[in-house]
Amino acid sequence: MSVFEKLQEIIAEQLEIEAEEIDYESNIIDDLGADSLDIVDLVMSVEDEFGIEVPDEALEGISTVEDMVKYIEDHE
């Protein structure tokens, strides 16, 4: 399973949406409806699943699913 597919599952579960609604270009807040609490939960799930740490300052550069995939791939 690719990083995108794992991330897609995590986001779908966290935000209670269908995985098919999530693509690379999806903006996590604007398109998928995540709020600040969702973002915190999402980051914790990503850190657990991929064994990485996502510092707060890194979140400033992450707005789309593609941004998150690239961050995970660069830090795994």
Side-chain angles (χ1 to χ4, degrees):
M1 182 178 288
S2 72
V3 170
F4 171 72
E5 291 167 332
K6 283 185 192 176
L7 185 59
Q8 191 179 35
E9 284 183 1
I10 292 168
I11 294 170
E13 184 177 325
Q14 293 281 330
L15 301 181
E16 298 178 353
I17 60 177
E18 295 295 321
E20 295 79 31
E21 295 179 41
I22 303 163
D23 60 35
Y24 276 101
E25 291 80 30
S26 297
N27 183 292
I28 297 167
I29 294 171
D30 297 338
D31 297 332
L32 304 179
D35 61 23
S36 57
L37 183 58
D38 293 326
I39 298 295
V40 170
D41 289 342
L42 181 60
V43 168
M44 288 179 11
S45 296
V46 165
E47 289 176 335
D48 289 344
E49 177 68 32
F50 296 99
I52 62 171
E53 188 171 323
V54 183
D56 290 342
E57 53 271 12
L59 288 177
E60 295 170 11
I62 297 172
S63 59
T64 65
V65 174
E66 183 177 18
D67 294 337
M68 181 65 84
V69 168
K70 286 180 181 176
Y71 184 87
I72 293 166
E73 289 174 344
D74 289 347
H75 295 84
E76 257 189 316

